[in-house]
Amino acid sequence: MDFRLIFKTALLAGEIMLRNGAETYRVEDTINRILKTTKFAVVESYVTPTGLFATLDDPSIDSITMVRRVGQRSIHMGKVEKVNNVSREYVSGQISVYEAYSRLLVIKDLEPYSRLIHILCFGIIAACFTVVFGGSPCDFLTSLIIGLILGVFHKWMESRQISKFINDIISSGMVGLLSILFTDYLPLGTDIDTIIIGCIMPLVPGLAITNAIRDTLEGDLVSGLARALEAFIIAISIAVGIAISLSLFYI
Amino acid sequence: MLSLIIKTLASFFASLFFAILFNTARKELFYCGLTGAFGWLIYMISFEFYPKVITAYFFGALGVGILSCLLAPKRRAPVTVFLVSGIIPLVPGKGMYETMYAMLFSDFESTFRHFATTLQIAGAIAIAVALPLTFMMRSSLRNGAQKKIEKK
């Protein structure tokens, strides 16, 4: 049995999941399940949102421990789902560790949806939420335009590797300015509040909030708190951006 | 009634496109949208019968949680996939905006009121999401998934 490869597989699976928005307890669970297939005495993993540790020990081997630091995080649910399936198949004995490892390597390099589609998403999400919060057809159109501009800008800032929080402040500030422009100076939007609320929805930290709840409930307090802080800071960033742009015109 | 249908449809598409933003696999996109629409529909119906925002959010999130837990073993995907996109329409963006707006005009009384409401909503959603997960995940999904694999 190639326990080193199993260890590498477990760590790779954990890293992919953690980088792409899985809850920390799920990452721990996956690593432990894969490592347990070695039947070794000590199997331990500790995962936080910013890095993971795993250790494997047995009287028959020198113990191995590895640390992976996870800095850049993005959201790719497709990868999480696929890694989940691979680990499930491997643990139940349907595939060998070699196949699991090679499949994980493929999953690691999966491409996200194209940038154009993401930008379109920004526009449609903003427009739909404006309707959900009670906007008129005119507001729908305004939000669609602002959302598309927001998408282009947000993606551009992201490609320049500007910190997410700064990106959120500037993007939401731009949303505020555009909303004022479209409602007060151009005869298009009618209800500025609804437009702004709809347009900032693509930026809200939905994943961080959900994962904060789930991690806390699984007793993983450190990760839960870290994610709650992340969600809170993103919310503050959005609020600050909007507040700055509104204060330029309304105070 | 018409606005109910339009809003449900809008939240369906909002959740669906949010799922694309999260790079969810193509085959799950429809179900992600369904979860979001279901949650928002329950929110609106609940608000119609008992006009308290917090209970409405509670039931909406409960709906999202239950549907996600039911879909996960069926679609053989992690619950997170459905939960994350489904909960998005319920995120209290409006509450955050109102808090910020009141603060902007130094109206600290309403700032506090809106902030407290937003926190209450967040708490209600957290509890509502937690309930189905703790009750259903432990028993049905994990064992169910395990049994399915063993059968093969």
Side-chain angles (χ1 to χ4, degrees):
Chain A
M1 182 183 58
D2 191 351
F3 65 85
R4 280 183 196 281
L5 185 65
I6 296 177
F7 191 72
K8 267 170 83 179
T9 309
L11 231 64
L12 182 63
E15 191 194 340
I16 298 174
M17 290 180 102
L18 193 58
R19 266 188 203 284
N20 293 290
E23 317 94 300
T24 43
Y25 86 86
R26 185 186 297 282
V27 179
E28 261 175 24
D29 193 50
T30 307
I31 293 177
N32 286 345
R33 272 164 197 258
I34 296 178
L35 288 182
K36 270 180 189 151
T37 59
T38 58
K39 304 268 195 307
F40 282 176
V42 179
V43 164
E44 207 70 72
S45 69
Y46 180 70
V47 180
T48 71
T50 50
L52 56 89
F53 317 79
T55 195
L56 192 59
D57 194 14
D58 198 64
S60 62
I61 59 160
D62 292 335
S63 75
I64 35 177
T65 300
M66 271 228 256
V67 182
R68 284 277 165 89
R69 182 81 168 86
V70 173
Q72 276 287 318
R73 274 168 292 138
S74 57
I75 303 173
H76 197 312
M77 281 295 143
K79 284 188 189 176
V80 174
E81 191 188 334
K82 287 202 169 70
V83 172
N84 212 46
N85 286 339
V86 169
S87 89
R88 201 177 273 172
E89 279 172 31
Y90 167 64
V91 170
S92 67
Q94 286 173 328
I95 57 172
S96 70
V97 66
Y98 301 101
E99 198 188 335
Y101 190 70
S102 61
R103 271 173 67 181
L104 286 178
L105 285 178
V106 174
I107 293 170
K108 193 184 179 193
D109 295 326
L110 273 182
E111 288 292 316
Y113 290 104
S114 77
R115 188 181 289 195
L116 189 70
I117 293 181
H118 274 192
I119 289 170
L120 270 177
C121 283
F122 269 88
I124 297 172
I125 291 167
C128 285
F129 273 120
T130 305
V131 174
V132 170
F133 295 129
S136 65
C138 284
D139 297 337
F140 175 84
L141 204 65
T142 317
S143 293
L144 186 67
I145 297 167
I146 298 175
L148 287 174
I149 299 172
L150 169 72
V152 172
F153 190 69
H154 198 266
K155 283 284 151 193
W156 179 73
M157 295 272 279
E158 215 173 71
S159 67
R160 301 289 301 270
Q161 298 194 324
I162 289 163
S163 144
K164 176 157 176 45
F165 304 120
I166 303 291
N167 190 350
D168 282 345
I169 294 179
I170 299 177
S171 302
S172 58
M174 203 189 60
V175 167
L177 291 180
L178 285 172
S179 308
I180 293 168
L181 176 76
F182 275 108
T183 46
D184 287 1
Y185 297 98
L186 295 175
L188 195 55
T190 49
D191 186 357
I192 185 165
D193 294 335
T194 312
I195 293 173
I196 290 180
I197 296 168
C199 288
I200 57 173
M201 284 308 275
L203 302 174
V204 298
L207 185 93
I209 292 174
T210 335
N211 280 352
I213 297 170
R214 301 206 58 197
D215 277 335
T216 310
L217 286 169
E218 291 293 323
D220 203 340
L221 299 179
V222 175
S223 304
L225 213 56
R227 300 228 200 240
L229 182 69
E230 187 189 359
F232 193 65
I233 292 182
I234 294 175
I236 297 276
S237 308
I238 298 171
V240 166
I242 297 283
I244 290 172
S245 59
L246 287 187
S247 65
L248 287 177
F249 283 82
Y250 289 158
I251 291 184
Chain B
M1 188 63 204
L2 186 69
S3 95
L4 200 78
I5 295 168
I6 291 175
K7 283 180 181 175
T8 308
L9 262 181
S11 54
F12 172 82
F13 283 110
S15 302
L16 193 152
F17 282 94
F18 236 108
I20 300 179
L21 216 54
F22 290 152
N23 295 305
T24 310
R26 205 165 289 157
K27 62 184 170 66
E28 317 291 1
L29 289 180
F30 174 77
Y31 297 93
C32 292
L34 209 62
T35 321
F38 184 68
W40 191 254
L41 185 66
I42 291 196
Y43 164 82
M44 284 191 295
I45 293 172
S46 164
F47 193 77
E48 208 59 43
F49 282 109
Y50 186 68
K52 281 262 169 29
V53 193
I54 291 151
T55 33
Y57 271 106
F58 178 83
F59 285 119
L62 198 64
V64 171
I66 291 174
L67 189 61
S68 309
C69 284
L70 293 177
L71 280 173
K74 270 220 165 59
R75 306 287 311 159
R76 311 196 74 195
V79 197
T80 329
V81 173
F82 307 107
L83 198 61
V84 165
S85 358
I87 209 75
I88 288 285
L90 296 169
V91 171
K94 195 171 181 174
M96 294 191 310
Y97 176 76
E98 277 162 349
T99 310
M100 183 279 302
Y101 200 78
M103 201 183 273
L104 194 63
F105 291 99
S106 306
D107 182 357
F108 292 114
E109 199 192 321
S110 5
T111 305
F112 183 73
R113 203 178 59 239
H114 287 306
F115 184 63
T117 315
T118 311
L119 276 189
Q120 278 175 307
I121 291 171
I125 293 173
I127 296 167
V129 166
L131 282 178
L133 288 171
T134 40
F135 282 111
M136 295 165 80
M137 287 300 287
R138 287 281 168 274
S139 53
S140 72
L141 178 86
R142 289 202 174 151
N143 296 343
Q146 207 61 43
K147 269 175 206 156
K148 254 184 202 167
I149 291 166
E150 278 159 13
K151 259 184 207 167
K152 278 192 171 178

